[in-house]
Amino acid sequence: MKMVVLLGSLRKESINRSVAETIRERYRKELDIEIADLGGLPLYNQDDENHPPESVTSFKQQVAEADGVIIVTPEYNWSIPGVLKNAIDWCSRVDKVLINKPVMAVGASPTAFGTIRAQAHLRDILASPGVQARVLPAATNEVLVNFAADKVKDGRLVDETTLTFLDKVLSQFVKQIKQ
């Protein structure tokens, strides 16, 4: 099964990159996981949507060909980062590659609340008319890695309780994709 990760942080040492890399490594035997390059996308411009640059075309193809999308987002100012919103905006125009695409949200933060506000905003965006992604229900599937600085060591998520919960949620996500 093919997955693409949309990583909302461009920082090389970010805790969310550590979570994304942990996901890619932990599930590499079951899933083919690629981390998309959101930093290479130009800012969305409606003037360019019908003839986008190659970076946008290849990114949208990567999303379209994936069986599912895992969004790993930090929380910036109680919302998602601009780089992630920009990527979703590109996906929401013309060929609309996220419509009915299974999506799972994950986020890590050094705070007590994890990325709860960012993920709430993300769910609103993913439900919008141009996106209409099939998001894993939030009730028991919110992966909010709080106090993440204590749960990430040497660039990988190592907290066993969090990893066990992530295993459960990712299993639910794979079941959703297969349905």
Side-chain angles (χ1 to χ4, degrees), residues 119-128:
Q119 288 194 41
H121 287 174
L122 179 61
R123 287 177 182 283
D124 288 342
I125 294 164
L126 293 172
S128 68

Side-chain angles (χ1 to χ4, degrees), residues 97-125:
V97 296
L98 282 172
I99 288 182
N100 207 34
K101 181 72 68 175
V103 174
M104 173 182 157
V106 177
S109 169
T111 69
F113 294 109
T115 56
I116 196 163
R117 290 181 181 108
Q119 288 194 41
H121 287 174
L122 179 61
R123 287 177 182 283
D124 288 342
I125 294 164

Side-chain angles (χ1 to χ4, degrees), residues 65-82:
E65 291 174 354
D67 297 304
V69 175
I70 301 170
I71 297 178
V72 181
T73 184
E75 184 171 292
Y76 293 171
N77 302 313
W78 293 4
S79 191
I80 65 171

